[in-house]
Amino acid sequence: MKRLLIAYASKTGTTKRAAETLARALAPDCDLYDLRRGTLRTLSGTESRVPFRSLDLTSYRAIALGSAMYMGHPVKPFLRVLQESAPALLRQPLYLFTCGLAKQEEEQSYLWPLLPGEIAAHAKELHHMGGELCEKGGFFQRMMLKDYAKKGLTPPKLDESVVQAFAALLKQ
C-alpha cells in the first residue's frame, strides 16, 4: 500500500504537534514534511532536507497539507507550496487542515479565498483542529493567556478528537 504524506507549516508548534499526532496514528504508512524547514522525516526516524517540489508526490496515495492560521492567514510556506506545486497536488487526493484560535467556519472563510482555484475545487476536505495560546505566539497571545489566567479559565487547546477523526479518515 502506498504511503501518505503529511506536510505542515507551523508557527508556534501547535500545527507541528497536530501533524506528528496524525503521523503516529497513521504509522508506519506515513511521511512527515516540514514546509518551513524543508525536511522530510519518515517514522523510522530518517530525516533529509529536500525541496517540496522535488518530492515524488505520485508515490503517495494521499497528501494532507496543514497550516497554522494567524490573524486569518495561513503561513507563507503553505501558500507557496499550494501555488508552486498545484499541478502535482492535483494528481493525488488532497486533504487540508488548519490550526488556529478561530472556529472551523471562520478558518474556512479565511483560507478558501486564498487558495488557488483548482486546489480549492480539488481538496477533499478541510479539517480545523483548534488552536492554542502560547508565550511565543506574540504580544496578543501573551495578553490573552494572562486574561484566561486572571479569570480562572482554561486556555484553548488542540482538539485531539478532531486529529483522531482526521487520522481515521486518512486511513480509509
Side-chain angles (χ1 to χ4, degrees), residues 68-90:
M69 294 292 287
Y70 188 72
M71 297 180 70
H73 289 86
V75 294
K76 289 180 183 176
F78 173 82
L79 285 177
R80 187 172 44 250
V81 160
L82 288 175
Q83 292 163 348
E84 292 174 357
S85 300
L89 291 170
L90 293 171

Side-chain angles (χ1 to χ4, degrees), residues 152-166:
L153 300 172
T154 303
K157 292 284 182 199
L158 185 66
D159 190 337
E160 298 286 338
S161 65
V162 175
V163 177
Q164 293 306 319
F166 190 42

Side-chain angles (χ1 to χ4, degrees), residues 11-12 22 31 34 55 62 69 104 106 110 119 121 128 140 142 155 165:
K11 183 170 177 68
T12 62
L22 271 173
D31 290 337
D34 184 333
L55 294 176
M69 294 292 287
Q104 162 97 14
E106 291 175 286
Y110 298 146
I119 292 290
H128 180 62
F140 290 112
R142 286 192 299 275

Side-chain angles (χ1 to χ4, degrees), residues 19-147:
E20 289 173 341
T21 301
L22 271 173
R24 280 191 301 277
L26 298 165
D29 299 320
C30 182
D31 290 337
L32 200 55
Y33 189 88
D34 184 333
L35 293 168
R36 292 187 89 163
R37 294 179 51 223
T39 54
L40 177 68
R41 181 171 37 139
T42 64
L43 290 180
S44 65
T46 307
E47 188 171 304
S48 56
R49 194 162 171 79
V50 57
F52 189 84
R53 65 184 170 276
S54 297
L55 294 176
D56 177 13
L57 298 182
T58 61
S59 67
Y60 296 100
R61 66 178 175 88
I63 299 162
L65 285 176
S67 178
M69 294 292 287
Y70 188 72
M71 297 180 70
H73 289 86
V75 294
K76 289 180 183 176
F78 173 82
L79 285 177
R80 187 172 44 250
V81 160
L82 288 175
Q83 292 163 348
E84 292 174 357
S85 300
L89 291 170
L90 293 171
R91 291 190 287 265
Q92 300 302 107
L94 177 64
Y95 299 86
L96 302 176
F97 68 95
T98 57
C99 292
L101 296 176
K103 302 286 182 220
Q104 162 97 14
E105 298 78 23
E106 291 175 286
E107 295 292 21
Q108 189 164 350
S109 72
Y110 298 146
L111 179 62
W112 233 250
L114 300 174
L115 299 177
E118 62 275 7
I119 292 290
H122 178 68
K124 299 282 184 196
E125 296 190 29
L126 170 65
H127 287 256
H128 180 62
M129 299 179 181
E132 298 178 331
L133 294 170
C134 64
E135 290 290 325
K136 62 182 176 180
F139 173 76
F140 290 112
Q141 286 197 26
R142 286 192 299 275
M143 294 304 293
M144 290 172 68
L145 275 170
K146 287 180 185 177
D147 191 48

